Amino acid sequence: QLQLQESGPGLVRASETLSLTCTVSGGSVRDTSYYWAWIRQPPGKGLEWVGSVYYNGNIYYNPSLKSRISLSTDTSQNQVSLKMNSVAAADTAVYYCARVASFSSSWYGWFDSWGLGTLVTVSS
Amino acid sequence: SYVLTQPPSVSVAPGQTASITCGGNDIGRKGVHWYQQKPGQAPVLVVYDDSDRPSGIPERLSGSNSGNTATLTISRVEAGDEADYYCQVWHGGDGGVFGGGTKLTVL
């Protein structure tokens, strides 16, 4: 059974860089059927798509975050990573890793499996 | 940017039918996906591509999409259906777009 586990520091100082890792088990990041995505949720608020990445380096970013974020995969470790620079209080959120399923291995599918999420708090 | 509009809250008595709408410009031309999120938990996919259900999701949950409105319908509502529900689409340069979420309360 597929499991996604997010990890990273729970506290990041404002203006610094947030780095998160999603470790995939029970499946492979190299599976050509799927993209992998990051989605975040500020406390008490709704969901926001951050970006999606394919094992071969294809990446799609939320336009509102594009200038500050970077996604990557590490197929040897079976991991997906997110880096976000110049963080501010508005970036405080639970960050989820999710698998993107679709009919044609595309990036615009549905999020069919989610990690438990990790809370990142940005301190001033 | 593309906006999806959901009612903030819907209330329904047990055994009745709940309808949660998701409005968007010409949303009927897009594939709509729905997620259920219970307090303190990660979202769970309950409907994909307008009306398909993942394995394990009861038939009581169904979806439809036409014109400017997509709808998630929950029949024979149970206490365990109480949760936040989010619709989601993909839209051009915006990428993934979520609705603001609807809190379903079972009276």
Side-chain angles (χ1 to χ4, degrees):
Chain A
Q1 183 178 355
L2 183 73
Q3 290 191 329
L4 308 176
Q5 177 67 60
E6 303 89 348
S7 59
L11 189 64
V12 180
R13 291 184 179 275
S15 79
E16 297 189 344
T17 297
L18 176 165
S19 295
L20 297 176
T21 298
C22 171
T23 300
V24 178
S25 57
S28 174
V29 169
R30 288 183 61 89
D31 192 326
T32 58
S33 298
Y34 304 104
Y35 273 73
W36 304 89
W38 288 94
I39 297 145
R40 70 179 183 176
Q41 185 174 35
K45 297 188 178 181
L47 301 167
E48 180 181 34
W49 173 72
V50 173
S52 297
V53 61
Y54 199 49
Y55 79 98
N56 68 354
N58 287 353
I59 302 174
Y60 297 89
Y61 294 128
N62 183 320
S64 69
L65 301 171
K66 186 176 182 177
S67 64
R68 298 195 292 126
I69 61 175
S70 172
L71 301 188
S72 61
T73 61
D74 183 336
T75 55
S76 66
Q77 298 294 318
N78 216 27
Q79 293 176 332
V80 182
S81 296
L82 164 67
K83 292 187 187 300
M84 177 183 295
N85 59 36
S86 304
V87 298
D91 296 312
T92 293
V94 174
Y95 285 76
Y96 294 101
C97 174
R99 187 176 73 174
V100 186
S102 68
F103 293 120
S104 56
S105 304
S106 69
W107 65 287
Y108 46 91
W110 47 91
F111 307 114
D112 73 336
S113 187
W114 297 61
L116 296 178
T118 186
L119 174 63
V120 177
T121 301
V122 178
S123 65
S124 56
Chain B
S1 61
Y2 192 79
V3 176
L4 294 176
T5 301
Q6 297 183 236
S9 63
V10 168
S11 299
V12 62
Q16 299 302 302
T17 297
S19 295
I20 299 173
T21 58
C22 176
N25 185 38
D26 223 7
I27 195 174
R29 293 179 174 269
K30 302 180 181 298
V32 179
H33 320 301
W34 290 90
Y35 305 88
Q36 177 194 70
Q37 185 179 34
K38 296 183 178 180
Q41 298 184 18
V44 173
L45 178 72
V46 293
V47 168
Y48 66 95
D49 199 38
D50 294 343
S51 58
D52 289 334
R53 276 183 308 276
S55 60
I57 301 300
E59 292 184 6
R60 300 185 299 105
L61 279 72
S62 62
S64 63
N65 184 21
S66 179
N68 292 318
T69 305
T71 303
L72 175 69
T73 302
I74 307 174
S75 304
R76 303 182 298 284
V77 167
E78 304 172 355
D81 296 326
E82 191 162 281
D84 294 328
Y85 291 84
Y86 294 90
C87 59
Q88 180 250 319
V89 301
W90 295 90
H91 179 76
D94 292 340
V97 179
F98 286 94
T102 297
K103 180 177 180 60
L104 176 67
T105 299
V106 181
L107 301 171

